[in-house]
Amino acid sequence: MKKTPSAQWPLLAATVLLCLGSLPASAQDTAMADMTMANPSDLKWVDAPPGLPKGAKLAVLYGDPGKDGPYVIRLKAPGGYKVPPHWHTQTENLTVISGTLYLGSGDTMDMGAAHALKTGGFHNLPGGMHHYAFTKTTTVVQIHGTGPLDVKYVNPQDDPSPKQ
């Protein structure tokens, strides 16, 4: 039986509708491929970079904190960990995931003047502000911002990195 052009239209229309119906799923699959999801057990903890005092661990959740662009990291600091007065070029946003982080502002570390930021607490620090941090117990913080993330010590002698 010979098909006439008018007989092909319903078949063509059905094929187009089937293809169009699959577009949202395909677009959603593409979006899912670009999405980041991580449970705590998925995190890969490594030693913090040499610009921070030894003892902390770091996990990158999103982006690259050493490059231009958005990033999200977690920092796990042991009890008694101290980061001397320093500042960052870019704004830093920090949320305490567990434990308590003690933060203070200024050019000297005054542990008595520090503010205790407890689990769930949030801290926004504009770039250029001098501050210090320490822990009394193991503490995990999530830091996000726009990179590159840097640490510039008020007193260059406090810089633990080998490049000083």
Side-chain angles (χ1 to χ4, degrees):
M1 174 162 135
K2 184 177 176 188
K3 292 184 181 178
T4 63
S6 61
Q8 290 179 356
W9 282 113
L11 181 58
L12 180 60
T15 303
V16 169
L17 287 174
L18 283 172
C19 289
L20 287 175
S22 68
L23 282 178
S26 177
Q28 190 169 355
D29 289 346
T30 301
M32 289 292 284
D34 293 337
M35 190 182 300
T36 300
M37 289 188 263
N39 284 306
S41 62
D42 299 330
L43 301 183
K44 292 178 179 47
W45 294 95
V46 298
D47 290 338
L52 289 172
K54 288 188 186 293
K57 298 285 187 182
L58 183 125
V60 176
L61 280 72
Y62 177 79
D64 182 341
K67 295 182 179 177
D68 287 336
Y71 69 88
V72 181
I73 61 174
R74 286 202 183 155
L75 182 76
K76 185 187 307 182
Y81 189 75
K82 297 176 186 172
V83 183
H86 64 282
W87 56 280
H88 311 282
T89 305
Q90 304 285 350
T91 295
E92 177 184 79
N93 298 288
L94 181 147
T95 302
V96 178
I97 302 296
S98 65
T100 301
L101 182 68
Y102 295 84
L103 294 162
S105 62
D107 291 350
T108 57
M109 189 172 237
D110 181 355
M111 296 174 82
H115 176 79
L117 196 60
K118 299 177 182 179
T119 298
F122 173 78
H123 173 65
N124 169 268
L125 185 73
M129 290 195 67
H130 294 191
H131 63 287
Y132 56 90
F134 62 93
T135 64
K136 294 181 181 178
T137 61
T138 299
T139 300
V140 177
V141 297
Q142 183 163 300
I143 303 166
H144 70 276
T146 302
L149 173 61
D150 57 7
V151 180
K152 299 180 182 283
Y153 289 91
V154 171
N155 181 350
Q157 294 171 336
D158 288 334
D159 187 347
S161 66
K163 67 177 183 223
Q164 52 166 320

